[in-house]
Amino acid sequence: SHITMGLVTTVVTYLSGYLFLVFVAVCLACGLYYLAELCEEFTSLTKRVIYWAIVAVECEHVLLLLFEPLPVRLTLAGMAAHACYFQLLRSFPFIQLTSPSFLLSCVAVVGTTWGWLRHFLADYHPLPKVMGFLLLNAWLVPFGFFISLSVNESVLPQAPGTGRGGSQHLGASETYTEVGLGGRQRRGQGGLMSVFAFLQAKKEELMPGLTKRV
């Protein structure tokens, strides 16, 4: 009797845990989809947000150097990584996945994450503290670029001075037209948005009419 009760409790606990993970994944997918749509709609604003995020994190690294007993090499590596992200921002929203700046940025985010994890795992640190530190210092700016990948294929280059929707971006001589939620010019969806669109289509197949009723 006691063994059966313990078995039922264990099964229910594991099932609840897996359901919780599914719910978290669905919420994250919905949030990423919405953020990607916002990035497509407000391309210029997205670039400004990423720019000031890089500046803020660089300033925070300076404060770490001055006031925190953290490894100097790791802190300087973090500053160098965000300098790489700034170079990637110069051509935003046009990001070439095979360009040296993009490849170097990928190496930078992996390297800084590995370095900080190795540092924090050497001694005990509370998990929320480690995750919060990594979120700001290693993942924030790369995450901004990640959700902006859909913008790379959904902006239309134009000749300078043509079109009302064109806007000048840093370090480039041509303009681009922003597209997105407002139904303005579209050329198809980027890789990230296409994945979310596929998931949304599958959801509508499994639960037809749910969105309309809601």
Side-chain angles (χ1 to χ4, degrees):
S1 174
H2 293 288
I3 296 177
T4 305
M5 292 180 60
L7 179 62
V8 172
T9 304
T10 302
V11 172
V12 171
T13 301
Y14 276 102
L15 287 178
S16 301
Y18 286 127
L19 285 176
F20 177 76
L21 292 177
V22 171
F23 292 152
V24 170
V26 171
C27 292
L28 287 176
C30 293
L32 288 174
Y33 185 87
Y34 182 69
L35 289 176
E37 283 283 0
L38 289 179
C39 290
E40 285 191 5
E41 177 70 11
F42 305 103
T43 307
S44 300
L45 178 61
T46 300
K47 183 173 183 177
R48 294 191 188 98
V49 170
I50 295 177
Y51 171 81
W52 286 110
I54 294 175
V55 172
V57 175
E58 290 281 27
C59 293
E60 191 256 349
H61 275 76
V62 173
L63 295 178
L64 292 178
L65 281 175
L66 295 177
F67 302 108
E68 293 293 333
L70 293 173
V72 176
R73 289 184 178 180
L74 287 177
T75 308
L76 293 177
M79 298 179 69
H82 284 78
C84 295
Y85 306 151
F86 183 78
Q87 293 299 318
L88 190 63
L89 188 65
R90 293 174 63 88
S91 61
F92 187 89
F94 306 105
I95 300 176
Q96 296 293 330
L97 301 184
T98 57
S99 64
S101 58
F102 179 81
L103 297 177
L104 188 59
S105 297
C106 292
V107 173
V109 65
V110 173
T112 53
T113 300
W114 177 80
W116 285 118
L117 281 176
R118 185 178 178 183
H119 166 71
F120 286 117
L121 290 176
D123 298 305
Y124 172 76
H125 295 276
L127 182 61
K129 177 182 177 180
V130 176
M131 297 301 294
F133 185 90
L134 290 176
L135 176 63
L136 178 63
N137 293 280
W139 299 336
L140 179 64
V141 175
F143 178 76
F145 281 111
F146 173 73
I147 62 175
S148 302
L149 286 178
S150 58
V151 184
N152 191 37
E153 297 181 3
S154 54
V155 292
L156 301 177
Q158 293 181 328
T162 61
R164 295 178 58 186
S167 58
Q168 192 74 19
H169 62 82
L170 296 177
S173 59
E174 63 179 2
T175 59
Y176 61 87
T177 301
E178 296 182 3
V179 298
L181 292 171
R184 289 173 283 182
Q185 302 180 34
R186 278 188 180 270
R187 193 183 60 180
Q189 292 178 317
L192 183 62
M193 292 297 296
S194 63
V195 173
F196 293 146
F198 173 78
L199 294 176
Q200 186 177 11
K202 290 301 180 181
K203 181 199 70 175
E204 293 177 356
E205 291 179 5
L206 295 174
M207 297 178 291
L210 178 61
T211 304
K212 293 182 180 180
R213 290 197 297 269
V214 174

